[in-house]
Amino acid sequence: MKINKFDIYKKIKEGKLRDGLIIPEFKNLSLYIASSCDLMYLKIRLDQEKIFKSVRYNFHDKTSVDVFVEAMNKDSLLFKSDICIISVSDSIKHYIHTLLGDQGDPDKYDQLEKTIMTRMDQVAKIINECKTIKECFFFTYAIDEYADFYSSIYNKNNLQVLFAKLRLKIIEIVQTYPKFNTFFFQEVVHEFGYNKNVYRKEYLGSHPEPSAAIYLLNTFLDKLNFKINNRKIKCIAVDLDNTLFKGTVREDGLDKCKINLPRLAVINKHARNGIPICVCSKNDPNDMKGIQEKFKFTSEEFFNNVVLWMINWKPKSENIKYIQKKLSIGIETIALFDDSHFEREEVKFNAPGARVYTDEEIYDSVRYHEFNFYKISDDAKGRVKKYKDNVVRDDDEKENVDNFENLNDYLMSLDFKISFDHNKKIDLTRVFELVQRTNQQNITMKRRSTDEIISYIKQNNILTIQLKDKFGNYGMIGTIMYSIDGNKGIIDELAISCRALGKKVEECIITYLANHLKSYKVDTVIIDVIQTEKNKAFVDIFLKYGFVKDGNRIVYKIDENRSHPKWFTIDTIK
């Protein structure tokens, strides 16, 4: 796809990124670029845009042109930055020349591979342990092409294997350490268009302002925004006509509309990772049954992954808002794939914050950060069913609640069972998901990494919370990490999934926690609160149930045992 660089530059100047995302102001963040001269043009562009508080570059500072050496210098400004970009391309080139020599000594390939992989592990560990650095991006756009460049001198196949292993090493680092991100130039080339002469010129030592620079900046800021604001996609809304269908129902007829199987496979992949699917199509509602049967016959997996079938003539923005309300998720976590420019613009205008993508981007989405998760917990794999269960719950409440004298009696009929598990052998990936992804019902907002969670619970306590009702299993809906200091209970992490809201689950959890801590002669519960616009209502719930503000803390004095809502059956696991 050919991108007009002037259109992109205009978007940046207007503060707009790819389809619907507004650039946040990173005025309070410092950025450090660790690279040789290959990212000079990115530094120039960042200086011009003045997006960050400061942008430093080791190549300008003349500290070291070897990124690996720079990352091992404890006095480097790299370790005083909030965000860092690392390009290992020129450092890899340096090691190739140094170890293989002019003719490519075949006996040195093993040594070369070991040296590079060791360096990569060392750098990853050092940066991960640095508390100042919030996010680190690997810019590695030259890696795959170096094999071609050196093929006339060195054993091409050996180098291609090495570079493939290097890419896998970077992916391994990203999956191990949450603050790391990939930024392969091939992603940008795929969207920007490929011109071999320009492409090679960009990394082989001649550095004009390349045509891809603006798009590189655009994509980098997009990825960074999602990491900083934790905007992972929680639901995919997908159009049918000319998107999942090859053709349109109205013009071609349902029978002649073939399903685009490659796109369907990508959507199913996202669903297997726990992202529910909603069909969002402007078509006759009377065609819904035929459409459902067509998908069920072609892909029962897709049919089972669809939580809502929004087939109507309403504006798509209204359907997106309905999905948001029905699934109890933030509108910024909903992604719409649609071939129609008009429909995408309508959603951007009338449902601001929703993410919109072209139909072609279905394929690219497997590489987009917002659609991917470091590790998929067992709970997440069953998330689609949990969303479908929630839709059934919502419909049941609307249909039957008026048959009861009051809401509490209706809740009694749902057979709630809540389990509090004190066992430290936990689903660590799910706990990580809760503390990282939960925004509205996260009162501490500390965002611990998996390593930090493991380290914490070795010395302190963790409580995980499971919920069931007559419709199904909500799974792990919450986690609390706490320590006991004399007569004080210190709550260090407390996050609850949004899918458990509306049933006074929060009151039940607060009650259980207070009673549990009292059994250890604790009379004061202290929570250091990081309050945001999103979690303010959650903080207010704690104040409603007896906590009082004390600076940045909220404090609760335990005087007597509390009673939990009567519709919950409590189970304690130790």
Side-chain angles (χ1 to χ4, degrees):
M1 180 175 65
K2 190 67 176 176
I3 303 296
N4 186 309
K5 66 177 182 179
F6 298 108
D7 287 346
I8 295 170
Y9 182 69
K10 184 180 178 183
K11 272 190 175 184
I12 291 177
K13 296 300 285 186
E14 292 174 351
K16 296 179 180 178
L17 279 170
R18 185 185 65 223
D19 271 52
L21 182 65
I22 305 301
I23 292 182
E25 295 277 13
F26 296 132
K27 297 295 186 185
N28 296 322
L29 299 177
S30 57
L31 175 71
Y32 193 87
I33 301 174
S35 168
S36 184
C37 58
D38 52 321
L39 291 184
M40 176 76 75
Y41 59 84
L42 193 63
K43 169 70 162 70
I44 293 170
R45 179 61 65 190
L46 286 166
D47 285 343
Q48 290 173 347
E49 298 299 332
K50 301 188 184 306
I51 294 169
F52 294 94
K53 178 174 69 176
S54 64
V55 180
R56 301 299 296 265
Y57 186 14
N58 67 301
F59 187 73
H60 273 183
D61 295 341
K62 302 186 185 306
T63 51
S64 173
V65 294
D66 186 334
V67 172
F68 296 126
V69 173
E70 184 72 24
M72 293 178 193
N73 175 12
K74 64 180 181 179
D75 296 322
S76 171
L77 292 175
L78 167 68
F79 300 106
K80 296 180 175 62
S81 65
D82 299 299
I83 312 295
C84 65
I85 294 172
I86 292 179
S87 172
V88 300
S89 302
D90 269 19
S91 295
I92 299 299
K93 184 172 68 174
H94 169 73
Y95 283 115
I96 290 173
H97 282 298
T98 302
L99 292 175
L100 299 188
D102 293 337
Q103 300 302 317
D105 186 344
D107 296 329
K108 297 290 183 68
Y109 278 108
D110 288 343
Q111 183 184 348
L112 174 65
E113 178 181 330
K114 182 178 179 181
T115 300
I116 290 173
M117 298 305 168
T118 300
R119 290 290 201 184
M120 291 293 291
D121 285 330
Q122 290 171 337
V123 168
K125 185 176 180 181
I126 290 169
I127 291 177
N128 183 66
E129 291 174 351
C130 176
K131 299 297 184 182
T132 305
I133 299 173
K134 297 179 176 66
E135 299 293 338
C136 179
F137 286 78
F138 277 118
F139 272 54
T140 54
Y141 54 79
I143 286 177
D144 284 347
E145 296 300 314
Y146 274 136
D148 288 335
F149 178 59
Y150 290 120
S151 63
S152 62
I153 304 174
Y154 303 134
N155 184 313
K156 178 180 177 180
N157 292 331
N158 278 5
L159 281 177
Q160 286 178 332
V161 170
L162 172 62
F163 296 138
K165 288 182 178 179
L166 180 57
R167 285 179 67 96
L168 291 174
K169 171 59 69 173
I170 291 171
I171 292 171
E172 176 190 318
I173 290 171
V174 169
Q175 291 176 336
T176 304
Y177 304 114
K179 71 169 60 174
F180 282 91
N181 311 269
T182 56
F183 196 93
F184 291 109
F185 192 48
Q186 283 70 16
E187 296 178 19
V188 176
V189 170
H190 181 75
E191 294 187 53
F192 185 82
Y194 183 80
N195 181 316
K196 189 158 187 174
N197 292 328
V198 175
Y199 183 29
R200 293 178 66 82
K201 191 176 182 182
E202 284 176 10
Y203 74 80
L204 292 180
S206 179
H207 300 287
E209 170 74 353
S211 55
I214 300 172
Y215 200 59
L216 273 168
L217 174 61
N218 192 23
T219 310
F220 161 62
L221 291 174
D222 195 351
K223 285 175 176 281
L224 177 59
N225 182 54
F226 270 93
K227 285 303 296 286
I228 294 296
N229 292 297
N230 203 38
R231 292 177 178 176
K232 290 287 190 181
I233 296 301
K234 295 182 180 179
C235 174
I236 290 174
V238 61
D239 176 46
L240 294 181
D241 292 338
N242 292 324
T243 301
L244 281 189
F245 282 160
K246 295 179 179 179
T248 66
V249 175
R250 292 182 69 188
E251 294 180 6
D252 302 305
L254 182 57
D255 291 340
K256 293 184 179 180
C257 280
K258 293 184 178 180
I259 295 174
N260 190 316
L261 295 179
R263 290 180 179 180
L264 198 70
V266 175
I267 298 296
N268 278 335
K269 180 183 185 300
H270 288 311
R272 286 194 293 273
N273 289 342
I275 302 178
I277 310 303
C278 294
V279 169
C280 188
S281 175
K282 275 190 176 179
N283 270 303
D284 190 337
N286 294 323
D287 289 329
M288 185 183 300
K289 185 176 180 180
I291 290 171
Q292 290 175 330
E293 289 176 350
K294 189 178 186 75
F295 277 105
K296 188 172 184 180
F297 177 79
T298 304
S299 173
E300 190 167 357
E301 180 184 10
F302 176 82
F303 177 82
N304 292 331
N305 287 333
V306 176
V307 176
L308 294 169
W309 296 84
M310 308 299 296
I311 299 174
N312 52 51
W313 298 115
K314 294 179 181 179
K316 291 201 174 177
S317 59
E318 289 188 20
N319 285 330
I320 294 296
K321 290 175 183 178
Y322 179 84
I323 292 168
Q324 175 197 10
K325 183 178 180 180
K326 199 75 171 176
L327 301 189
S328 298
I329 57 178
I331 199 164
E332 73 279 0
T333 66
I334 300 174
L336 170 67
F337 290 104
D338 201 306
D339 68 295
S340 169
H341 176 75
F342 171 82
E343 299 294 352
R344 296 196 303 270
E345 291 298 315
E346 190 275 327
V347 169
K348 284 194 290 184
F349 186 81
N350 291 315
R355 295 286 290 161
V356 295
Y357 303 82
T358 68
D359 56 313
E360 289 293 334
E361 287 186 283
I362 290 176
Y363 302 117
D364 299 326
S365 64
V366 295
R367 295 195 304 271
Y368 290 167
H369 177 272
E370 58 266 32
F371 288 88
N372 290 287
F373 305 92
Y374 302 109
K375 293 181 181 178
I376 309 299
S377 67
D378 290 337
D379 187 274
K381 291 174 183 176
R383 190 176 291 135
V384 171
K385 183 180 184 305
K386 293 179 176 67
Y387 275 113
K388 294 184 80 168
D389 289 343
N390 271 353
V391 170
V392 174
R393 290 183 183 101
D394 188 52
D395 292 342
D396 181 84
E397 181 176 343
K398 288 180 179 178
E399 183 177 342
N400 296 315
V401 70
D402 291 338
N403 297 329
F404 291 83
E405 187 172 335
N406 54 52
L407 178 61
N408 289 358
D409 286 347
Y410 171 72
L411 292 173
M412 285 287 293
S413 74
L414 300 183
D415 193 23
F416 282 108
K417 293 182 174 62
I418 189 167
S419 300
F420 294 91
D421 192 342
H422 296 263
N423 197 323
K424 292 187 178 182
K425 293 181 179 179
I426 57 172
D427 182 351
L428 182 63
T429 304
R430 175 57 180 158
V431 171
F432 173 76
E433 286 175 350
L434 282 166
V435 300
Q436 287 288 328
R437 296 182 64 201
T438 307
N439 295 306
Q440 293 176 319
Q441 285 74 239
N442 188 333
I443 200 167
T444 46
M445 301 293 286
K446 292 184 179 178
R447 308 290 197 205
R448 279 182 168 86
S449 68
T450 50
D451 287 343
E452 289 171 330
I453 293 170
I454 292 170
S455 177
Y456 181 90
I457 63 178
K458 282 181 179 178
Q459 305 297 325
N460 301 291
N461 307 286
I462 187 167
L463 183 63
T464 57
I465 305 153
Q466 308 268 344
L467 182 66
K468 296 179 180 179
D469 68 8
K470 70 177 186 179
F471 296 107
N473 188 353
Y474 286 82
M476 188 190 296
I477 60 156
T479 186
I480 302 172
M481 295 166 59
Y482 66 97
S483 60
I484 297 175
D485 182 9
N487 68 329
K488 296 183 178 66
I490 313 298
I491 310 304
D492 289 298
E493 292 276 8
L494 194 158
I496 303 173
S497 169
C498 61
R499 63 176 180 248
L501 292 180
K503 306 153 188 78
K504 294 193 176 180
V505 170
E506 311 93 285
E507 180 183 353
C508 186
I509 291 172
I510 292 170
T511 298
Y512 180 89
L513 181 64
N515 293 343
H516 170 70
L517 290 174
K518 187 180 179 184
S519 69
Y520 287 89
K521 299 184 178 180
V522 169
D523 59 23
T524 305
V525 182
I526 299 171
I527 306 177
D528 286 318
V529 175
I530 298 178
Q531 186 166 314
T532 67
E533 284 299 316
K534 289 187 175 182
N535 74 356
K536 182 179 183 300
F538 192 51
V539 176
D540 289 343
I541 289 173
F542 283 77
L543 299 178
K544 175 183 175 182
Y545 290 124
F547 282 78
V548 295
K549 283 189 175 182
D550 180 15
N552 292 327
R553 293 179 164 184
I554 57 173
V555 178
Y556 178 71
K557 295 291 185 180
I558 305 174
D559 48 9
E560 59 184 23
N561 281 351
R562 300 172 56 117
S563 297
H564 60 78
K566 59 184 179 179
W567 49 87
F568 288 106
T569 300
I570 307 294
D571 183 25
T572 300
I573 303 170
K574 292 188 177 180

